[in-house]
Amino acid sequence: METQLVDHPLAAALLTTMRDARSDNPTFRSALRQLTQMLIYEAIRDAEIEDFDVQTPVATTRGVRLAKPPLLVPVLRAGLGMVEQASSLIPQSQVGFVGMARDEQTHEPVPYLESLPDDLSGIPVYVLDPMLATGGSMVHTIELLVARGATDITAVCVVTAPQGVAALENSGFPVRLVAAAVDEGLNEDAFIVPGLGDAGDRQFGPRWI
Ligand SMILES: O=P(O)(O)OC[C@H]1O[C@H](OP(=O)(O)OP(=O)(O)O)[C@H](O)[C@@H]1O
Ligand SMILES: O=c1cc[nH]c(=O)[nH]1
Ligand SMILES: [Mg+2]
């Protein structure tokens, strides 16, 4: 699986803010928004483009745009903090939604929302979720996308664990990964170590389901 780690001092500083337990919810959300900008910037780097004529105030020249407007899929809740920034960077994009909450005992994802186009063939899909821990939530999301014909899927994450990266790799699905970090591993609660805690709670407070 193609894996791209965004290695940049500004990305590292934003990730540090997100890791810091003293960062309050607005500070955490702001750092996530800014870091998403860098992750998307890198994730889109090799996207197919097409030329078209554009009229400047002086002359006609050739401009470029994305050849295939992508679908962005934030995984609720935590992925919601990435979608505003990603869709502003790619104004032609559309947004689908998947909602999933890990069971605290089994650590398995429990899906509660699925709002996706029926046919994703030929459409690049960017799944937005800051955390890839066991990989269960991401693999389940990708299953939903592949069942709709998606063949070009990018997982855009902030912090990952080696176990989650391996789960994506072993899934055999057509996915590549763009992330800010691969951490040491998981603790007994399947939280990423050192990680940043619960990315949903740190943006929005406790979950009610
Ligand atoms: O790789 P996994 O082991 O599946 O864990 C990662 C998932 O856990 C978090 O969501 P969570 O279930 O905490 O829901 P939330 O976003 O509503 O807090 C995170 O945003 C991922 O979706
Ligand atoms: O460390 C983790 C693992 C799963 N989900 C999170 O939000 N954080
Ligand atoms: Mg959570």
Side-chain angles (χ1 to χ4, degrees):
M1 179 180 63
E2 184 190 332
T3 299
Q4 191 179 351
L5 292 182
V6 174
D7 182 15
H8 190 286
L10 295 180
L14 288 164
L15 176 55
T16 302
T17 299
M18 293 180 68
R19 289 194 194 278
D20 192 333
R22 296 170 303 177
S23 297
D24 62 9
N25 294 7
T27 305
F28 185 95
R29 289 196 302 267
S30 166
L32 175 58
R33 267 198 308 275
Q34 294 177 75
L35 186 48
T36 298
Q37 181 152 2
M38 298 181 193
L39 294 170
I40 292 289
Y41 186 81
E42 284 305 322
I44 292 282
R45 182 179 285 281
D46 295 323
E48 219 179 296
I49 52 169
E50 62 187 14
D51 297 348
F52 67 104
D53 281 340
V54 63
Q55 181 72 45
T56 80
V58 179
T60 301
T61 186
R62 295 296 282 166
V64 295
R65 61 188 164 210
L66 291 181
K68 296 178 186 168
L71 180 76
L72 307 176
V73 180
V75 180
L76 276 55
R77 293 174 303 163
L80 280 179
M82 304 173 77
V83 71
E84 168 68 28
Q85 197 70 45
S87 53
S88 340
L89 272 175
I90 318 169
Q92 317 89 315
S93 59
Q94 295 197 324
V95 181
F97 298 89
V98 168
M100 226 171 288
R102 280 199 327 180
D103 180 297
E104 283 175 15
Q105 261 72 50
T106 64
H107 311 136
E108 292 292 320
V110 180
Y112 59 82
L113 175 74
E114 193 182 315
S115 172
L116 296 167
D118 289 336
D119 184 7
L120 288 172
S121 45
I123 300 178
V125 183
Y126 293 82
V127 182
L128 310 175
D129 193 333
M131 309 306 281
L132 180 71
T134 65
S137 304
M138 185 61 77
V139 169
H140 184 80
T141 301
I142 292 169
E143 269 167 16
L144 299 176
L145 300 170
V146 168
R148 288 166 165 78
T151 55
D152 176 4
I153 303 171
T154 305
V156 182
C157 302
V158 174
V159 179
T160 67
Q163 293 89 332
V165 177
L168 272 195
E169 183 121 47
N170 297 335
S171 72
F173 287 136
V175 60
R176 69 192 179 103
L177 172 66
V178 177
V182 182
D183 276 8
E184 288 158 23
L186 300 174
N187 67 14
E188 59 282 2
D189 296 320
F191 269 76
I192 300 177
V193 181
L196 47 73
D198 188 303
D201 291 6
R202 293 202 62 194
Q203 293 178 72
F204 307 119
R207 194 174 62 214
W208 305 114
I209 61 150

